[in-house]
Amino acid sequence: MKDFFKTSSFKVLAIAVVVLLGLIIYTASAGGSFLASLLGFVTSPMQSVSTSTTGKVTEFVDLNSLSREELQDMVDSLNQENAQLREQLVDYESLQKENEQLKTQLEITEEVPENTLRAATVIGRDPNDVFYGFSLDQGTLAGVEAGDPVITQSGLVGVVSQAYATTSKVTCILSEDINVSAVAPSRGESGVICSDITTASSGLLRMRYLASDTQVQAGDIITTSGAGGTFPKDIIIGEVQSVQKADNDVSMVAMVRPYEDLTAVEEVFVVIDFPGAGEDTGIPLEEDPAGQEDTE
């Protein structure tokens, strides 16, 4: 027992008792102000948290206490901000589409640098046109003229048949009005691409006037030959699906499927100039009877 009084544990306990007695004596003489301050120091962080939470609740309650006019002003302000954000989104999407067009145009131009292209967007389709013609948002003010070929990155899609100031109409290559001088580069054989209501309904073209012993076969790529000056040379048209005898039982006909989905074209390029252009129009072109811009 005597050894306990000599240990460090006893010494610590003794010091704590002395400090506690001192605090009691000092508190009694100071009227409790020190103890209150001590308790305040301990509880003040909790009071701050409580005050902050109460402020948030008060702010929420204040929102509910707004008048109808004030709430309407707030809603109008939010609607205006949303409208501005939507406009910014539209501008962004327009710029993104324009960048994609320029990128595609650059790629095509690098392949055939001598051709001059004008980017255009499909703005309408005639539901009564069984050959899937369409209207563009570019016209003569942009250099577009009747007879200009219309292409995409996937190949030839048609010819401008009517051109007005800011719009134009395109006759699709599925139309029976269009004939395209074509060639199978891998075979060195040429023919004429055409179509009619039967093949157009299946999304196919005919390559006519192939020799009876033609080497053209399924899988061959068909391109424009450039003969006649109607279309630039080496524009892709499509891929041969099959080869069969023509109605005259003498020549052969290749059935060609365009690489482009001609029923859903959205972005195109009008070839407004190319080497040898203008020697032949290739299709009968219509004049604007009213001499007015097409508004479709």
Side-chain angles (χ1 to χ4, degrees):
M1 187 68 177
K2 292 180 180 180
D3 293 337
F4 172 74
F5 292 106
K6 297 180 180 180
T7 63
S8 59
S9 298
F10 174 75
K11 292 178 181 179
V12 171
L13 178 62
I15 292 173
V17 170
V18 172
V19 171
L20 181 61
L21 288 173
L23 286 173
I24 293 173
I25 295 171
Y26 179 80
T27 301
S29 62
S33 59
F34 175 76
L35 183 60
S37 299
L38 182 62
L39 291 175
F41 173 77
V42 173
T43 60
S44 60
M46 296 301 297
Q47 289 176 342
S48 298
V49 173
S50 176
T51 302
S52 176
T53 304
T54 304
K56 296 296 182 182
V57 173
T58 303
E59 181 180 351
F60 178 77
V61 173
D62 289 341
L63 180 63
N64 287 334
S65 66
L66 293 176
S67 67
R68 182 174 181 179
E69 290 75 13
E70 290 172 329
L71 288 173
Q72 186 61 52
D73 290 342
M74 184 177 295
V75 170
D76 292 341
S77 177
L78 290 174
N79 287 336
Q80 185 176 1
E81 291 181 10
N82 287 336
Q84 292 174 348
L85 291 174
R86 284 194 296 269
E87 290 178 0
Q88 293 175 5
L89 180 60
V90 170
D91 291 340
Y92 169 77
E93 291 176 346
S94 297
L95 288 174
Q96 189 176 36
K97 185 172 75 171
E98 183 178 351
N99 287 337
E100 289 297 325
Q101 285 181 324
L102 291 174
K103 179 181 177 181
T104 303
Q105 182 172 343
L106 178 61
E107 293 174 353
I108 297 175
T109 302
E110 288 177 345
E111 294 175 1
V112 192
E114 62 269 23
N115 296 337
T116 304
L117 308 180
R118 182 74 68 229
T121 300
V122 175
I123 57 174
R125 296 181 183 276
D126 183 355
N128 298 318
D129 186 350
V130 296
F131 299 112
Y132 308 105
F134 49 86
S135 298
L136 299 178
D137 64 348
Q138 299 292 337
T140 55
L141 293 178
V144 176
E145 298 179 354
D148 287 345
V150 180
I151 66 174
T152 67
Q153 192 172 26
S154 299
L156 181 66
V157 297
V159 179
V160 175
S161 54
Q162 299 179 54
Y164 310 114
T166 58
T167 63
S168 55
K169 283 188 175 182
V170 176
T171 299
C172 180
I173 57 171
L174 292 175
S175 172
E176 57 190 4
D177 293 330
I178 292 185
N179 295 305
V180 184
S181 297
V183 64
S186 63
R187 309 294 176 182
E189 297 185 42
S190 59
V192 175
I193 289 289
C194 59
S195 188
D196 57 32
I197 186 62
T198 302
T199 52
S201 62
S202 301
L204 296 173
L205 302 164
R206 283 193 179 98
M207 185 174 179
R208 301 172 59 192
Y209 308 124
L210 294 173
S212 59
D213 61 347
T214 180
Q215 298 301 304
V216 174
Q217 56 185 296
D220 287 349
I221 295 175
I222 305 300
T223 69
T224 56
S225 67
T230 308
F231 300 94
K233 186 180 179 181
D234 298 331
I235 299 297
I236 293 176
I237 297 175
E239 181 178 305
V240 175
Q241 302 294 296
S242 63
V243 179
Q244 59 196 45
K245 283 188 176 182
D247 295 338
N248 58 18
D249 289 331
V250 177
S251 62
M252 302 294 285
V253 174
M255 304 305 295
V256 179
R257 183 176 297 281
Y259 286 110
E260 185 67 72
D261 182 359
L262 301 174
T263 66
V265 177
E266 295 182 356
E267 304 295 332
V268 301
F269 297 93
V270 181
V271 185
I272 61 176
D273 191 25
F274 59 93
E279 295 180 11
D280 189 6
T281 56
I283 62 170
L285 302 175
E286 299 177 30
E287 297 294 331
D288 178 15
Q292 301 292 329
E293 177 185 339
D294 181 21
T295 56
E296 290 184 7

